[in-house]
Each structure stands twice: as structure tokens, then as C-alpha cells.
Amino acid sequence: MNDLLADQMPYWHRIEKAARELFADYGYREMRVPVVEHAELFQRSIGEHTDIVEKEMYSFEDRGGDRLSLRPEATAGLVRAAIEHGLLHNQKQRLWTAGPMFRHERPQQGRYRQFHQIDCEAFGYPGPDVDAEVIQLSARLWRKLGIMDVRLSVNSLGTPESRRSYRAKLVEYLGARRAELDADGLRRLETNPLRILDSKNPALGDVIANAPRLIDHLDPESKNHFDRFLDLLAGCGIEAEVDPRLVRGLDYYSRTVFEWRTGALGSQDAVCSGGRYDGLVELLGGEPTPAIGWALGIERIVGLMRAGGLPAPDALPAIYLVLSGEVAERAGLALAERLRDALPGAGVMVNMEGGSFKAQLKRADKSGAVLALIIGDDEAKKGVAAVKWLRREATQVELAWDELPRRLAAELKPGRKAGNDDG
Ligand code: ATP
Ligand code: MG
């Protein structure tokens, strides 16, 4: 579980802000649900024989004897809440949420035990148009963040019925090639054979490559849905590769599944994954409701932005107040407040704990500020400040405090605060 230090946060703010704006542009509304739910909710929705439920959940009994889990993903909680509050009764919902998720995995680069997701869900839309829309939204997010190194893989899992008959064929095939499976594969052969298809063990490459393909065993309706989905994606200029091995690790998916992958983060290559889960709402006690969604891992997006050398947005105050003497210090705190009123977004940092002019100017420089306002007791008594530009050659000028907002506003570009630029 990571500490997120201040240096890193500009990336986070930028991602969160971009996502928030995008969701609004597409008509998705934010919802927030608890971090803790009944363990049973996840067991039933994600599935007993999935990695998440078998080995990754943080579960515990609370003081009242309830069996609870820290949420490993967001969808189950959103569905639970949507049912509980009647949000799906004769209504469609386009929703999003964001927050921490918890999985007891082996920690490594790009894989953490507390990680953060942004999560997009659309309830009540059965057609492939919304499948394309949620992907369109994610594609726009990459553009907005300047992320280039991602590509889209898609597949269809069909309906639970067509999957069952495919599963039988797969088990027959894999059963005959048992000797080539690893321990994980043998175990999954009994519990969740489809998961063998996305095994990361290269030794299984051959068995998997020759396995019957789910995509060849789709029911006609799922096949139509998938073809139309591909056509719609092409229509909005989004390239997608059909990957018959893409099965996703959660049981609740049906039909469309997809994953944005990157080559820039080593083996943790999934940055955003999702799919359709038409049966989940009913499984959890709601009315039958088609649904689709995705989740992206913020840590991995941050990793991508860093790998791409994208600069963090500038979150630094532009103005640094250098104050020397008791009168100046007293006046300085009040002046800083006036400047914050008059120049919202510029950022004003006040020197603390005195120090010589030289020491304070060093701090000013280190702070990243664009300019220092230098005020000693004499200046304070006169109500003036010396303006020293820190990032360019310019002669120092003296300005009256009343003049400062007007004179500085012209020079300080707005939008220096974290996340204010999308460029
Ligand atoms: P992976 O194949 O990397 O294990 P996953 O299929 O388990 O991913 P999902 O459950 O679909 O992932 O979660 C959606 C996204 O959340 C992933 O694409 C990834 O970006 C991110 N993610 C998942 N698990 C972690 C983790 N332990 N640490 C950081 N990010 C994660
Ligand atoms: Mg995983």
C-alpha cells in the first residue's frame, strides 16, 4: 500500500480532473459507495473461483459478527447501491465513481494492494452502441492526457449459455492436453477453465494458441452484437484488435469485453479494462438490466504519463513573499490574503520563520515561484513592495500594495494551479 507524496499528486489531479470533465461531457454522473461491503456481495458477483475472491480479498469479521471485505473493485458496490436505491427501476443510468480498491496481490511495479480506480458504468442499455460509447470516452481520456502508447483489445464472451457450451469444448480440449498444463492450469481446469486462456505462463503458449476459440462459438445474437460493436468502433475511428484470449478475470462478464494495454509498463500492461455484465444486476437481486462498464488503474496511468515524459502540471504558487522585520511579517500575512482575493489561482506563498533576505530569496527561488515580493519594515511602513522576477531578467521595481493586483495580473498567466491546463 502506497503513500502518495505531494510530488506525485499533480499527475493524479490532472487525471482526476480530466476524467471528471469528460464524464460530464458524456452525461455520466458521479456516485460514491462505501469502501467496505459484505464479503458475500463480492463472492457472488465476482465469482467464487476467481483470483480476486480465491486469494486477493481483504476480508474480516467486524464487531457485530458481519463478514465484510474491503472492495476489490467498484462495480459490485455500485450495482448493490443502484438496486437498493431503486435507480434501475424504469430508468437508465450513466454513472461513474473513483476511489481506492484493495487486493492482496504480490506487490510489484504497477501492482499494489491499495490501488485506485476510475470506474465508468452504464445501466439499462442493451445495444452495442453504448459499448462503443464507453470506449470512445476512454479513448478521449487518453487524448486529453496526451497518452499515446495504448492499444485496444476486444473480445466477446457470448451469453452465459453459449459460454457454457464453449466451456465444455474447451475442457475437452484441455483435458486431452493435461500434461502440458501448469499447476494453476490444472486447478483452473476444474474451476474456471476460461481463465487458462489468459495465463501469463509462456509454457502454455502452444496449448492456448491451438485451443478452440470462444469467438467461433458465439450464439448468433452475440455474434451480431460483436460485429456491430466492431463496426461502430471503426465508425468513430478507434482501432481495435480482436483478441480471442481476452477473457477477463471476473465471472460477471458477458458479450463484449475489452482492455486497453500498453507496451510502456512492462508486464503490468492493462491500464483500463471492462466489459458487459448483463446478468449481474439480476444476480444481485435487481430486475434484469443490461450493463457495461470499465475501470482504469490510476497508478498505471500515472506510470504511463511519467514514461511518456509528460510534464506534471505546474502546481506551484507564482508569488513568494519575502518578509523581513516584525512590521513586515505582520503586514505580509494580511497582504498575502489580499493578493489571494485579487489573484485567485495565482498562488501566494509566504516565507515563514524569517531569515536573511538572501536566505529567503533562495527559498523563493526553490519554491518555483515566478516572482518575489520583497518587504522589509521600511517598505511595510510605506505600503510598497519590491518586485523581483525570479525566472527572467528584469529590473526590480517598487510597487504600491494597492497596485499589485492590477500590475501582476497582466504578467501572471492564469491557470498555474494543479490540473488547470489540459495541454
Ligand atoms: P491485471 O491483469 O493487471 O491483474 P485485472 O484484470 O485484475 O488487471 P481489473 O480488475 O480489470 O484488472 O481492474 C481494472 C484496472 O485496474 C486494470 O486494468 C489495472 O489498470 C488496474 N489494476 C488492477 N489491479 C491492480 C493492482 N493490484 N494495482 C494497481 N492497479 C491495478
Ligand atoms: Mg488482476
Side-chain angles (χ1 to χ4, degrees):
M1 295 186 186
N2 281 330
D3 300 313
L4 299 172
L5 303 186
D7 278 348
Q8 231 194 318
M9 292 318 289
Y11 288 99
W12 288 69
H13 292 156
R14 186 149 166 197
I15 295 164
E16 288 161 357
K17 178 167 182 288
R20 180 178 298 278
E21 288 172 358
L22 268 194
F23 283 125
D25 284 348
Y26 284 76
Y28 286 70
R29 296 184 305 150
E30 185 181 4
M31 191 163 138
R32 298 187 191 186
V33 293
V35 172
V36 180
E37 299 269 2
H38 284 114
E40 201 204 336
L41 173 71
F42 301 114
Q43 283 156 8
R44 287 180 55 201
S45 58
I46 298 167
E48 288 289 353
H49 298 297
T50 56
D51 282 354
I52 293 180
V53 169
E54 272 179 356
K55 22 183 212 208
E56 296 172 2
M57 284 227 288
Y58 282 92
S59 298
F60 58 96
E61 198 167 288
D62 77 357
R63 284 163 189 274
D66 284 321
R67 187 85 193 137
L68 304 178
S69 297
L70 300 183
R71 64 179 180 192
E73 56 99 50
T75 305
L78 282 176
V79 171
R80 192 246 341 117
I83 296 170
E84 200 171 308
H85 299 282
L87 304 183
L88 305 177
H89 188 67
N90 293 329
Q91 309 172 61
K92 300 175 191 299
Q93 297 284 349
R94 285 178 164 102
L95 299 170
W96 69 278
T97 197
M101 309 295 155
F102 304 84
R103 297 183 194 175
H104 193 271
E105 304 197 69
R106 191 168 70 79
Q108 49 195 297
Q109 190 64 32
R111 191 174 294 287
Y112 311 105
R113 291 181 171 175
Q114 173 174 335
F115 61 101
H116 299 77
Q117 287 183 338
I118 294 173
D119 195 78
C120 168
E121 317 279 356
F123 294 102
Y125 303 92
D129 46 359
V130 79
D131 304 19
E133 182 184 79
V134 295
I135 288 177
Q136 202 178 26
L137 200 162
S138 58
R140 179 176 287 272
L141 183 60
W142 313 143
R143 285 203 299 281
K144 210 169 154 108
L145 294 173
I147 290 172
M148 318 280 272
D149 190 5
V150 285
R151 45 190 209 291
L152 178 66
S153 298
V154 298
N155 194 17
S156 175
L157 300 181
T159 58
E161 297 74 43
S162 65
R163 199 148 85 228
R164 255 196 298 282
S165 75
Y166 166 74
R167 191 187 139 121
K169 292 194 182 75
L170 183 66
V171 169
E172 194 187 336
Y173 164 84
L174 292 171
R177 299 183 66 164
R178 236 168 222 287
E180 291 164 72
L181 297 180
D182 56 7
D184 226 24
L186 286 171
R187 189 173 51 84
R188 283 176 170 157
L189 187 55
E190 309 301 325
T191 56
N192 197 349
L194 263 68
R195 280 292 276 167
I196 298 176
L197 296 177
D198 78 347
S199 162
K200 285 174 182 140
N201 183 352
L204 270 61
D206 190 49
V207 197
I208 293 166
N210 294 310
R213 297 166 5 136
L214 183 52
I215 199 98
D216 301 328
H217 295 83
L218 291 181
D219 55 288
E221 234 187 286
S222 295
K223 175 85 174 78
N224 283 342
H225 187 108
F226 191 55
D227 289 343
R228 180 71 182 145
F229 163 64
L230 292 179
D231 182 49
L232 290 168
L233 279 185
C236 37
I238 296 173
E239 271 179 53
E241 186 208 347
V242 178
D243 176 0
R245 289 178 54 173
L246 177 61
V247 295
R248 309 282 300 119
L250 297 76
D251 275 0
Y252 55 56
Y253 287 109
S254 56
R255 292 203 172 141
T256 311
V257 288
F258 55 89
E259 197 157 274
W260 287 96
R261 296 179 188 147
T262 177
L265 296 178
S267 55
Q268 268 38 272
D269 64 349
V271 293
C272 173
S273 340
R276 187 163 271 289
Y277 49 94
D278 291 340
L280 183 60
V281 176
E282 192 179 10
L283 178 81
L284 294 179
E287 298 158 46
T289 307
I292 183 165
W294 53 247
L296 69 78
I298 301 183
E299 283 82 354
R300 292 187 194 175
I301 303 297
V302 170
L304 265 185
M305 290 172 78
R306 292 193 165 216
L310 297 168
D314 197 343
L316 306 167
I319 302 171
Y320 192 101
L321 261 61
V322 169
L323 306 170
S324 180
E326 272 184 26
V327 184
E329 281 176 6
R330 183 169 184 280
L333 273 183
L335 175 63
E337 209 59 3
R338 277 172 61 191
L339 291 174
R340 292 185 189 110
D341 286 340
L343 300 167
V348 182
M349 194 187 291
V350 180
N351 183 77
M352 296 285 139
E353 299 186 7
S356 68
F357 277 124
K358 195 168 159 225
Q360 292 196 39
L361 278 169
K362 241 189 189 159
R363 289 178 204 149
D365 189 49
K366 220 174 144 197
S367 79
V370 172
L371 62 93
L373 295 180
I374 305 170
I375 305 172
D377 282 348
D378 288 347
E379 284 82 8
K381 281 172 199 153
K382 282 196 280 173
V384 297
V387 181
K388 182 176 168 58
W389 294 91
L390 299 169
R391 311 290 153 201
R392 62 176 164 90
E393 292 299 324
T395 33
Q396 197 166 305
V397 292
E398 197 172 83
L399 292 178
W401 293 348
D402 287 342
E403 276 185 283
L404 282 171
R406 190 177 56 79
R407 296 287 292 272
L408 296 185
E411 308 253 10
L412 296 170
K413 277 191 270 105
R416 285 176 47 85
K417 275 280 190 210
N420 266 6
D421 75 342
D422 293 328

